[in-house]
Amino acid sequence: MTRNSRLKDHHAEQRLFGRRVVAATLVIMVLLGALFARLFYLQVVRHDYFSELSQGNRIRIEPIPPPRGLLLDREGEPLALNRPAYQLELTREQTPDVEDTLARLVALGLLPADDVARTRRAIMARRAFDAVPVRLQLSEEELARFAVHRPDFPGVEIRPRLTRLYPHGGVGVHALGYVAAISEQDQERIDVSKYAGTTLIGKLGIERNYEELLHGETGYQQLLVNAQGRRVDRVGVTAPDLQRKEPIAGNDLYLTIDHRLQQVAETALGTQRAAVVAIDPRNGDVLAFVSTPTFDPNGFARGLTVPEYRALADNIDKPLIDRALRGVYPPGSTIKPFVALAALQYGVMAAEDTRYCRGVWQFPNSSRRFRDWKKQGHGTVDMHKAIAQSCDTYFYGVSDQIGIDRLHDFLVQFGLNEKTGIDILGERTGLVPSQAWKKKAFKKKELQVWFPGETVIAGIGQGYMLTTPLQLAHSTATLAMHGKRFQPRLVRAVRDSRTGAVASLPPRPLPDVKVDDPGYWDTIIGGMIGVVSPGGTAVRVQAGAPYKVAGKTGTAQVFSIGQNEKYNESQVSERLRDHALFIAFAPVDDPKIAIAVVVENGRHGGSTAGPIARAVFDAYLLPREAAPAAPPATPPAAPPAGGMDE
Amino acid sequence: MRTEIAGPGHSSRAQRTFTLTGRLLDALHIDGPLLLSVLAVCVVGLIVLYSAAGEDVRIFLGQAARVGLGLGVLTIVAQIPPRVMRIGAPFLYGLGLLLLIAVAVAGDVAMGAQRWLDLGFIRFQPSEIMKIAVPLCCAWYLHERPLPPDFTTLVIVALIVLVPTLLIAEQPDLGTALLVTAGGGLVILLAGLQLRYILGLGAVIAAAIPVVWKFLLHDYQRQRVLTFLNPQNDPLGAGYHTIQSQIAIGSGGIFGKGFMNGSQAQLEFLPERSTDFIFAVIGEEWGLVGCIVLMALYLLVIGRGLYIATQAQDTFTRLTAGSLTLLFSVYAFVNSGMVAGLLPVVGVPLPLVSYGGTSLVTLMAGFGILMAVHSRRKLVST
């Protein structure tokens, strides 16, 4: 502490230095103590907490979606399978910027620009830690393209998944339905946690109705992941016991559909807009369920682009509509056997009672003329001939005598005017009119009045009356069984994926149609045999067949003709032409198959719809080898087809 | 009986070997205890690095080669007589200053900071030189002056420290600037800076903090401090390092998860695990025990260094040896404190352990100076 002329005092300096070193040592000790205290706090006091955090860091629970149950036809032919495919999945939680990521996927050509909005909604609807499919079924080239850019897409991964494959494309699509990516709306009808990891869900048809049986149970596995959330398999890190619960596959379904029959019917229909339903009358098994044109359900499993979907939805032939289930058509003359049965039951007409047909029918004291399809008339007609030749005037009179309400009460016993209860959604009820119905259906008082003329045309299946092809087939099956009814069904057995046991589902009987005299059935069926016999309206359905057929043709009016106009079919544009209908069953003595065929704008039940029924019968009833591949060629002596109604 | 006969034979051979090695070390001006403790830290470092780098043999061998290079530098520096060092100190300092200015004018920008000087054949950071040049120059300046230093002396020494510090902080490299300041500051403290100056300086620093905060710190530096105060504010951004390193250390427990078994490190949750955050790997894989062992080894190095300093026989060597040793401890504490969440994140590597060559070579040169000081103390005293 001396002033200017200080000299260096080496000993004092050394002592000072010594003291400073001691002080420094003390400071170091204090700092080390602080560090030690901190480490002790982290590693001993809060060890459990941090251990848990580090576990959470490296273990991710990943769901393992179960393989979906298969759809097999009644013979075991696979109709819907699972196929491995690669898909692009995005996990919101691991994606820094979903919007930007989607935009860059579009730029890479891995996501159609039109799909961005829908994909974003799907992502936002799922939980943040769920991997949501962005693109299904990537091609090899797309896989490679993504692989190159993978580091730029945190949270986006390629995962091998099982996707749905419909090996026969559109065959039977309206019965099978299809699966597609789980949408926002689907979220509301499922237990989201049970669908973790599942991409596809049944949207329609059997795929939709039996979703619960088909889906199976989701398993899970714990994965070791790195900081990027990517799975790692590192030998170096002792993995804790990573748990794994195997998924339980969905149950396989044996359908009632006979794939071969289905194919025959679709081939026979070709490009026509039509529906065919074939039912085994003995148990309600739906053997063929056809609505054409069909569409390829594989597109939905893959994910249709917006234009692809628009093309299907806007198609003028409406392939997406299930005509068999949801198409409602006037039954036309196919209703006549049922009306005849009602006449017998109500005693308004006996089988042998005759009427004289002169080509038109009139109420007494009325100038309104109800025309027969055969202008010159059928002459003297009993019930057999009335059915066989489809005499309109006979049924005008009969239904007038029965009255609309009694006709209604009788027909609904066959399941008309209500859903058959088939095991797919969306069925329509059709319509059997009655006075009560008209009161409810119309608002205006003057329209609520039932006119007698409306009863008359109901007798030939026109006017308000509407049926679905499924209802027609079901009613025909009931006729074949003399009134015994079974609910139509598309699934006949379930194969449990765990045990492998196949459990047959019992047929579901419905209340019988009862008539006072069982002989009435034979009368009606006799008339229907007449339809396919010489002189009948569909003689070629029976021609050359070794089994006995009973059928009925029908033509449903699309385009109404004025009272005095002449219907000239060549002048009517194609889509306004009449629908062709045909119902039949065979063999008559031991019915194995009942069928309803509706060909839109097909004009004549006998010539257009009949051969299709014949082709299906042949395929089903003939020994398999002997069955002709194609429907029989037009026989040389085709009976003349009539006008508005055969 | 046999052991008794064998005993002396063995011990004499061992003794001979020991003496021989001792003589060799003496001839090379190498201090055995310091060399051993430094090597022990290096070996620990290489083991941890092998695991932290994900068993990358290339990285491991590269670092081993750098340790070898460091030992070479150490040996060479140990040959320089302290007197030469003293005379050379201002020149080294001047050279370092020139290079720092050169970097500011024409340096390479790497990772957002201008630190590197590319000489065509080699790229290096002039700021590294300053870690040694500043203490040396301070010690040189204080050597001839009476101690404790008077005010004028202090001002000049402060300038010697602050000029390069500011240049380095401008690059910006907060960690190195901090270490350079610490190096110079330690010299001043060891020189016997009076308590009133220490307290006064403390007050000035406290007053300067808001100014520095507002005008001198870069955004990212401010962010680091803020994040240090509350890492959870930004768990996936600036706070990520701190949170992950604490998870790593904490989950290690007392005995650790085992070599190459740290999930935080091996699964890449821990960022910069082979460089600045390697201490967390030690904490995770070797636990509290491993940390204590490392700290003990550091203490051995520091203890030996301080011993050498107290044995030094003139002001220059004393201050140099003392400040370099204490600088080493600052190094170690700042890094481990930062990784353990005691200090904000600054770019200071864990001495002798972190992957990277520059700091290793500088540290080895420092130890070379210590050895040069120790092996020539008698010459100086006579």
Side-chain angles (χ1 to χ4, degrees):
Chain A
M1 308 303 150
T2 41
R3 294 278 140 81
N4 300 329
S5 63
R6 283 192 335 182
L7 288 173
K8 278 185 83 73
D9 178 344
H10 285 281
H11 288 286
E13 273 183 29
Q14 204 161 5
R15 278 200 306 280
L16 177 62
F17 183 79
R19 285 201 301 278
R20 286 295 154 109
V21 168
V22 170
T25 311
L26 282 177
V27 170
I28 288 172
M29 285 307 174
V30 168
L31 293 180
L32 264 182
L35 183 61
F36 177 80
R38 177 70 183 175
L39 291 174
F40 188 84
Y41 171 74
L42 292 176
Q43 298 188 297
V44 179
V45 180
R46 306 216 61 193
H47 171 62
D48 291 345
Y49 168 75
F50 285 114
S51 274
E52 213 164 287
L53 283 185
S54 83
Q55 288 295 327
N57 255 355
R58 63 193 179 134
I59 292 181
R60 202 174 69 199
I61 295 178
E62 194 177 74
I64 315 171
R68 194 173 175 86
L70 309 182
L71 300 183
L72 309 163
D73 91 336
R74 60 184 303 115
E75 308 289 340
E77 168 75 19
L79 303 181
L81 300 166
N82 298 315
R83 176 170 77 82
Y86 288 97
Q87 67 187 40
L88 208 56
E89 294 183 2
L90 185 148
T91 309
R92 175 149 52 99
E93 192 181 58
Q94 290 161 14
T95 311
D97 184 346
V98 172
E99 206 56 46
D100 173 61
T101 302
L102 291 179
R104 285 185 294 123
L105 284 174
V106 171
L108 260 186
L110 291 171
L111 179 69
D114 292 334
D115 278 6
V116 171
R118 193 183 58 185
T119 309
R120 186 196 305 116
R121 280 202 304 277
I123 291 168
M124 291 308 168
R126 297 293 287 260
R127 298 172 298 180
F129 51 88
D130 282 338
V132 183
V134 171
R135 256 297 301 283
L136 311 176
Q137 302 186 26
L138 293 171
S139 69
E140 296 271 327
E141 188 272 331
E142 288 168 328
L143 275 178
R145 205 184 319 154
F146 181 74
V148 173
H149 294 92
R150 196 178 103 151
D152 308 335
F153 289 96
V156 182
E157 265 186 291
I158 291 175
R159 286 223 177 76
R161 294 279 196 210
L162 288 177
T163 186
R164 204 60 156 171
L165 173 70
Y166 300 95
H168 304 292
V171 177
V173 64
H174 291 102
L176 303 179
Y178 54 82
V179 294
I182 299 174
S183 73
E184 215 179 347
Q185 295 100 297
D186 293 326
Q187 304 277 330
E188 285 157 24
R189 65 177 170 103
I190 57 171
D191 179 344
V192 178
S193 64
K194 285 185 181 159
Y195 276 77
T198 298
T199 303
L200 301 169
I201 190 168
K203 295 277 189 180
L204 212 65
I206 292 164
E207 293 273 29
R208 162 87 185 247
N209 250 53
Y210 289 88
E211 175 64 29
E212 245 169 81
L213 284 173
L214 289 168
H215 180 253
E217 272 177 48
T218 304
Y220 68 85
Q221 59 182 337
Q222 296 184 324
L223 294 181
L224 206 55
V225 295
N226 66 12
Q228 284 80 49
R230 304 239 188 257
R231 183 184 180 164
V232 286
D233 296 297
R234 256 187 95 149
V235 196
V237 179
T238 7
D241 291 331
L242 293 175
Q243 291 175 21
R244 186 181 165 95
K245 181 176 166 286
E246 293 301 329
I248 298 169
N251 301 306
D252 299 339
L253 300 183
Y254 283 92
L255 309 191
T256 58
I257 297 279
D258 183 323
H259 173 67
R260 214 171 43 90
L261 219 55
Q262 182 83 22
Q263 224 163 7
V264 164
E266 289 188 19
T267 312
L269 288 171
T271 57
Q272 302 177 90
R273 298 173 301 281
V276 174
V277 178
I279 291 179
D280 185 334
R282 297 164 299 179
N283 50 25
D285 281 5
V286 176
L287 303 170
F289 191 88
V290 180
S291 170
T292 57
T294 60
F295 59 94
D296 187 356
N298 288 304
F300 285 87
R302 187 191 67 233
L304 289 179
T305 61
V306 172
E308 278 174 330
Y309 179 76
R310 281 261 66 88
L312 267 182
D314 296 345
N315 188 321
I316 187 169
D317 288 339
K318 301 284 178 215
L320 291 180
I321 287 181
D322 185 344
R323 292 173 157 81
L325 189 71
R326 296 180 56 76
V328 285
Y329 304 92
S333 299
T334 58
I335 204 68
K336 285 174 183 166
F338 303 91
V339 176
L341 193 63
L344 291 172
Q345 172 65 14
Y346 289 127
V348 301
M349 194 77 98
E352 56 285 350
D353 291 348
T354 57
R355 291 285 183 275
Y356 187 80
C357 171
R358 55 180 178 88
V360 288
W361 187 89
Q362 278 167 297
F363 282 109
N365 312 319
S366 162
S367 64
R368 178 147 184 216
R369 295 147 65 92
F370 292 88
R371 292 187 297 189
D372 194 284
W373 64 273
K374 197 170 177 182
K375 243 171 97 183
Q376 64 273 37
H378 295 276
T380 305
V381 184
D382 64 357
M383 190 172 277
H384 180 89
K385 191 176 171 190
I387 296 174
Q389 300 194 355
S390 203
C391 173
D392 290 336
T393 59
Y394 180 89
F395 283 98
Y396 291 145
V398 161
S399 58
D400 181 43
Q401 280 176 271
I402 296 172
I404 190 63
D405 286 346
R406 285 205 296 174
L407 190 59
H408 167 271
D409 294 347
F410 188 79
L411 291 180
V412 294
Q413 294 183 80
F414 284 86
L416 301 176
N417 206 33
E418 64 182 32
K419 294 180 181 181
T420 63
I422 192 174
D423 45 356
I424 51 178
L425 291 179
E427 188 181 3
R428 293 182 64 175
T429 57
L431 175 64
V432 178
S434 64
Q435 297 199 50
W437 164 80
K438 204 176 178 194
K439 269 212 174 73
K440 270 207 315 213
F442 290 93
K443 272 216 183 90
K444 285 188 183 166
K445 258 270 170 338
E446 60 269 29
L447 291 179
Q448 291 179 346
V449 183
W450 184 266
F451 296 103
E454 292 172 335
T455 307
V456 169
I457 57 169
I460 62 159
Q462 301 286 0
Y464 298 115
M465 199 179 287
L466 293 170
T467 52
T468 65
L470 174 65
Q471 283 176 327
L472 281 177
H474 173 61
S475 311
T476 308
T478 307
L479 268 188
M481 293 298 289
H482 294 207
K484 267 183 93 66
R485 296 171 67 218
F486 293 93
Q487 195 167 61
R489 58 175 188 167
L490 286 164
V491 174
R492 64 171 186 88
V494 179
R495 186 182 162 278
D496 190 296
S497 67
R498 267 168 292 193
T499 62
V502 178
S504 291
L505 306 175
R508 284 164 295 183
L510 295 173
D512 292 349
V513 178
K514 291 216 166 63
V515 293
D516 295 341
D517 181 356
Y520 295 164
W521 295 108
D522 298 318
T523 305
I524 304 307
I525 292 168
M528 290 172 71
I529 294 170
V531 170
V532 296
S533 305
T537 52
V539 69
R540 57 181 168 165
V541 173
Q542 178 68 70
Y547 47 83
K548 214 159 167 39
V549 180
K552 182 69 194 80
T553 54
T555 302
Q557 191 181 348
V558 176
F559 181 68
S560 60
I561 309 148
Q563 204 37 221
N564 293 307
E565 284 174 63
K566 194 180 164 339
Y567 176 76
N568 186 339
E569 62 188 35
S570 61
Q571 287 174 359
V572 178
S573 89
E574 195 209 328
R575 275 170 207 275
L576 294 175
R577 286 175 193 161
D578 297 333
H579 296 326
L581 289 88
F582 189 70
I583 60 170
F585 64 91
V588 170
D589 300 325
D590 175 23
K592 292 192 170 81
I593 181 168
I595 198 169
V597 179
V598 176
V599 180
E600 286 185 17
N601 315 118
R603 286 184 276 192
H604 310 299
S607 56
T608 310
I612 290 157
R614 169 65 184 269
V616 173
F617 283 174
D618 278 352
Y620 192 65
L621 295 172
L622 296 185
R624 301 241 141 164
E625 299 78 31
T634 316
M644 187 196 109
D645 204 21
E646 298 173 17
Chain B
M1 287 299 129
R2 260 185 302 173
T3 47
E4 262 181 42
I5 299 163
H10 271 292
S11 73
S12 69
R13 199 185 305 156
Q15 229 159 18
R16 255 204 317 273
T17 318
F18 193 77
T19 330
L20 257 174
T21 315
R23 277 190 197 147
L24 181 67
L25 288 177
D26 277 349
L28 284 171
H29 306 285
I30 300 286
D31 179 51
L34 184 57
L35 181 70
L36 272 182
S37 40
V38 166
L39 279 181
V41 176
C42 288
V43 168
V44 167
L46 284 174
I47 293 171
V48 176
L49 181 70
Y50 181 69
S51 168
E55 300 165 56
D56 190 328
V57 179
R58 203 169 38 83
I59 288 181
F60 175 79
L61 291 178
Q63 187 68 3
R66 287 192 185 89
V67 171
L69 175 73
L71 287 175
V73 169
L74 181 147
T75 312
I76 292 166
V77 172
Q79 309 313 310
I80 306 169
R83 198 166 36 86
V84 177
M85 289 182 190
R86 193 180 69 216
I87 295 163
F91 296 102
L92 185 66
Y93 178 83
L95 175 70
L97 214 52
L98 281 175
L99 289 175
L100 274 181
I101 293 163
V103 163
V105 174
D108 265 11
V109 176
M111 300 178 71
Q114 202 168 28
R115 298 177 189 174
W116 300 86
L117 192 66
D118 197 339
L119 295 184
F121 61 98
I122 192 169
R123 265 166 33 113
F124 74 107
Q125 287 177 280
S127 54
E128 278 304 317
I129 294 179
M130 281 305 187
K131 283 185 191 167
I132 286 184
V134 166
L136 278 178
C137 191
C138 292
W140 161 78
Y141 186 75
L142 291 170
H143 176 70
E144 294 298 337
R145 283 163 183 74
L147 296 179
D150 56 31
F151 186 74
T152 326
T153 316
L154 275 180
V155 169
I156 290 170
V157 176
L159 280 177
I160 293 176
V161 178
L162 285 179
V163 170
T165 299
L166 288 175
L167 279 171
I168 294 167
E170 261 314 289
Q171 289 180 350
D173 183 354
L174 200 62
T176 308
L178 194 94
L179 288 175
V180 168
T181 318
L186 285 168
V187 175
I188 301 170
L189 282 174
L190 286 175
L193 181 69
Q194 284 111 321
L195 205 58
R196 61 169 190 273
Y197 286 120
I198 298 176
L199 292 177
L201 197 66
V204 169
I205 288 173
I209 282 176
V211 179
V212 171
W213 179 259
K214 220 164 172 182
F215 300 108
L216 291 180
L217 289 187
H218 283 248
D219 267 350
Y220 85 97
Q221 293 164 334
R222 252 175 285 189
Q223 193 59 48
R224 279 184 186 176
V225 178
L226 284 178
T227 304
F228 157 68
L229 294 174
N230 188 3
Q232 299 298 340
N233 266 351
D234 189 9
L236 289 175
Y240 185 78
H241 287 61
T242 315
I243 290 170
Q244 294 298 345
S245 72
Q246 289 185 35
I247 292 175
I249 294 174
S251 64
I254 297 175
F255 298 105
K257 296 177 184 169
F259 182 51
M260 314 248 280
N261 240 335
S263 59
Q264 286 288 108
Q266 304 299 335
L267 302 178
E268 302 169 19
F269 286 97
L270 187 66
E272 296 182 43
R273 58 200 163 278
S274 54
T275 53
D276 286 1
F277 280 80
I278 198 164
F279 186 68
V281 179
I282 300 171
E284 185 181 26
E285 299 193 347
W286 302 96
L288 186 60
V289 173
C291 295
I292 291 173
V293 167
L294 183 72
M295 285 192 281
L297 290 176
Y298 277 141
L299 269 185
L300 279 181
V301 173
I302 294 164
R304 185 64 187 175
L306 288 181
Y307 170 79
I308 288 172
T310 53
Q311 296 301 302
Q313 297 190 343
D314 67 8
T315 308
F316 174 74
T317 52
R318 215 161 26 225
L319 292 179
T320 305
S323 62
L324 287 179
T325 306
L326 290 180
L327 184 57
F328 178 79
S329 61
V330 167
Y331 240 117
F333 180 76
V334 167
N335 178 276
S336 49
M338 146 188 118
V339 174
L342 279 178
L343 297 172
V345 176
V346 283
V348 175
L350 189 62
L352 304 180
V353 175
S354 281
Y355 178 74
T358 335
S359 99
L360 184 76
V361 169
T362 317
L363 284 166
M364 287 298 202
F367 291 125
I369 293 173
L370 282 177
M371 290 180 181
V373 167
H374 196 54
S375 71
R376 290 180 182 78
R377 62 195 186 280
K378 289 200 175 75
L379 296 174
V380 176
S381 72
T382 43

